[in-house]
Amino acid sequence: MSLMWVSVTECSQSHIYHLTQMIKEDEDLQIILSSGTPYMDERGDGGLLKKDMERMLSLLGVPAHLKGYQYLKTAIDLCVQSMEELDGVTKRLYPDIARTHQTSAETVEHAIRHAIEAAWQRGDERTQKKLFGYSHTEGRRPTNSEFITRLADYFTDMSGKYLS
């Protein structure tokens, strides 16, 4: 499936014609029309990206009641904004998440690991295979860094910085 974001404020009549031709040629193409920047709702706070993150975390089986769920959302959001966060997960990313949630970096690391362990047993196998190349049936699970990196890459590609 291909996904394309198009700003209607920058879209002319000829652009609309070309978009319709693209849709006719590719049945799997999805085009998102927006009056703003990619994945920003009318408040400009990234509400659509957050909904997509919540949907993906749910598909992967991350229980929403766990603290690690909130920490993962923050981690992915920070990494989508700046992939440099992944240069030092324990030295940079976890402390940044901890500051946001007023806790310690060790608590963040443990809660994320626990959420991923819980998710890996109950998540959708096809989604796991699609994102990670393997699933819980193969007896291994992603590390915290791998989990966050794969999801950040996925949402960076979807955010409009790169067309997929």
Side-chain angles (χ1 to χ4, degrees):
M1 171 178 66
S2 300
L3 180 68
M4 181 183 288
W5 172 83
V6 178
S7 173
V8 293
T9 57
E10 300 171 11
C11 202
S12 69
Q13 198 73 358
S14 66
H15 289 127
I16 293 172
Y17 173 77
H18 289 294
L19 289 172
T20 57
Q21 294 304 314
M22 291 171 68
I23 292 171
K24 287 178 183 177
E25 292 171 10
D26 184 356
E27 295 174 1
D28 292 331
L29 177 64
Q30 290 186 2
I31 297 176
I32 298 172
L33 298 176
S34 173
S35 61
T37 57
Y39 291 93
M40 293 294 182
D41 61 8
E42 57 277 356
R43 296 168 305 194
D45 65 358
L48 292 176
L49 177 60
K50 284 183 177 42
K51 287 178 184 174
D52 288 340
M53 271 195 280
E54 290 166 356
R55 192 174 304 118
M56 180 59 76
L57 289 171
S58 176
L59 274 173
L60 288 169
V62 179
H65 69 280
L66 297 179
K67 276 286 191 192
Y69 175 85
Q70 296 301 323
Y71 299 157
L72 280 168
K73 284 181 13 182
T74 302
I76 295 162
D77 189 43
L78 288 171
C79 292
V80 166
Q81 291 175 35
S82 171
M83 289 301 270
E84 292 173 359
E85 288 284 340
L86 291 166
D87 291 343
V89 173
T90 56
K91 301 282 186 199
R92 184 174 179 169
L93 181 61
Y94 292 158
D96 288 349
I97 297 167
R99 270 190 293 284
T100 301
H101 293 275
Q102 300 175 347
T103 189
S104 71
E106 294 79 18
T107 300
V108 167
E109 185 275 332
H110 182 273
I112 288 175
R113 185 168 15 96
H114 177 67
I116 293 170
E117 286 170 355
W120 208 246
Q121 295 307 312
R122 54 183 282 200
D124 179 58
E125 185 178 349
R126 286 194 352 232
T127 305
Q128 290 173 348
K129 275 196 180 270
K130 180 180 174 185
L131 281 175
F132 300 98
Y134 54 90
S135 68
H136 65 273
T137 59
E138 296 168 39
R140 62 182 280 225
R141 70 164 184 85
T143 63
N144 289 10
S145 297
E146 184 181 6
F147 194 90
I148 294 166
T149 301
R150 296 285 175 121
L151 286 171
D153 284 343
Y154 176 82
F155 287 110
T156 298
D157 288 346
M158 285 184 61
S159 73
K161 292 179 187 174
Y162 310 102
L163 290 179
S164 58

